[in-house]
Amino acid sequence: MAKAEFSPSLMCMDLLELKEQVAFLNGKADFYHVDIMDGHFVKNITLSPDFVRALSRIAAKPIDCHLMVTNPEDYVESLAKAGAGYITPHAETLCNQAFRMIGAIRDAGCKVGVAVSPATPLGMLESYLHLVDKLTIMTVDPGFAGQPFIREMLDKIALAARLKAERGYTYKIEVDGSCNVRTYRELYAAGAQVFILGSSGLFGLDASLPAAWDKMCAQFAGETGV
């Protein structure tokens, strides 16, 4: 299986310690996960293109912007200029503009991600899956941290892995929601490659981020053997 990769969810970090924590994570993480919510597609409002601009000055790993917004087209240019490496809109917002959005993200110099809410079937993405660099499968409903794991998503992850192998797709399979010691084994076995780490998977494990990272790695290795 592919090497596991880790993407800390920065809305769960101590933002007062942003510079210090990013300096540590630059040597550990594979991506930075930045949730951008508009208060419409989901009820919450979180980070912004201005946050991405500040982060890009100190980040040494790609910044992945997860757009939980109704109109993702309004964010592509500003996020690309701010330093985003990946722009990941939701499939539910792309119904009538998927190819246009994919083209706009690529033209802006970013890689293309697509996120899928739990109730959305992968078949909805079938016509453009071959164009996607990263497929983010949500294992909780979008909008808030700390929700319970939706076990039915294990089958969706396995299907994404099977389609990738059978059709030669190149996307990374990423999981967003409840990635922690209780789910690592099943997620990895199903085919997950990139694990988004929030409060339960990283930031809530210890007040010291280096200690929390060591605990996460030990938990992951203990559950998956890798």
Side-chain angles (χ1 to χ4, degrees):
M1 296 179 69
K3 171 186 174 290
E5 297 180 289
F6 300 102
S7 183
S9 178
L10 298 194
M11 78 171 187
C12 298
M13 77 187 310
D14 182 352
L15 294 179
L16 292 177
E17 302 292 333
L18 175 67
K19 189 173 182 179
E20 294 80 1
Q21 293 197 349
V22 170
F24 169 76
L25 291 170
N26 278 338
K28 301 292 184 179
D30 297 286
F31 304 91
Y32 290 117
H33 187 82
V34 176
D35 285 307
I36 297 177
M37 307 181 192
D38 63 358
H40 186 262
F41 180 73
V42 294
K43 295 290 186 182
N44 206 357
I45 295 176
T46 51
L47 305 175
S48 69
D50 286 337
F51 176 84
V52 174
R53 186 174 297 107
L55 174 63
S56 68
R57 295 170 56 191
I58 56 175
K61 298 299 172 67
I63 300 170
D64 174 26
C65 296
H66 179 188
L67 300 187
M68 286 179 264
V69 301
T70 300
N71 299 303
E73 65 274 12
D74 294 342
Y75 292 79
V76 172
E77 183 177 359
S78 61
L79 286 172
K81 289 181 177 179
Y86 286 76
I87 296 179
T88 304
H90 261 261
E92 299 81 18
T93 68
L94 297 181
C95 297
N96 64 345
Q97 59 172 342
F99 289 91
R100 185 165 63 246
M101 276 293 300
I102 289 170
I105 292 169
R106 289 218 188 282
D107 289 346
C110 298
K111 291 190 175 182
V112 177
V114 175
V116 189
S117 294
T120 301
L122 282 186
M124 185 174 174
L125 292 68
E126 184 173 6
S127 61
Y128 58 85
L129 261 180
H130 62 291
L131 300 174
V132 171
D133 298 303
K134 184 170 59 62
L135 175 63
T136 302
I137 296 175
M138 298 204 68
T139 57
V140 300
D141 286 328
F144 296 92
Q147 298 182 76
F149 180 67
I150 300 173
R151 296 189 57 78
E152 289 86 346
M153 295 306 99
L154 292 168
D155 289 338
K156 185 184 287 186
I157 296 165
L159 174 58
R162 188 163 65 250
L163 290 173
K164 179 178 179 178
E166 292 175 354
R167 301 182 183 181
Y169 295 156
T170 58
Y171 52 71
K172 293 178 180 289
I173 301 173
E174 180 178 68
V175 175
D176 186 0
S178 292
C179 292
N180 55 47
V181 68
R182 295 182 296 276
T183 62
Y184 288 144
R185 182 177 303 180
E186 291 177 296
L187 290 172
Y188 186 73
Q193 298 170 284
V194 183
F195 298 80
I196 296 174
L197 303 173
S199 298
S200 66
L202 177 62
F203 294 104
L205 296 181
D206 197 284
S208 162
L209 184 57
W213 187 270
D214 288 344
K215 289 179 181 179
M216 180 278 295
C217 290
Q219 289 176 349
F220 190 87
E223 292 297 315
T224 65
V226 297

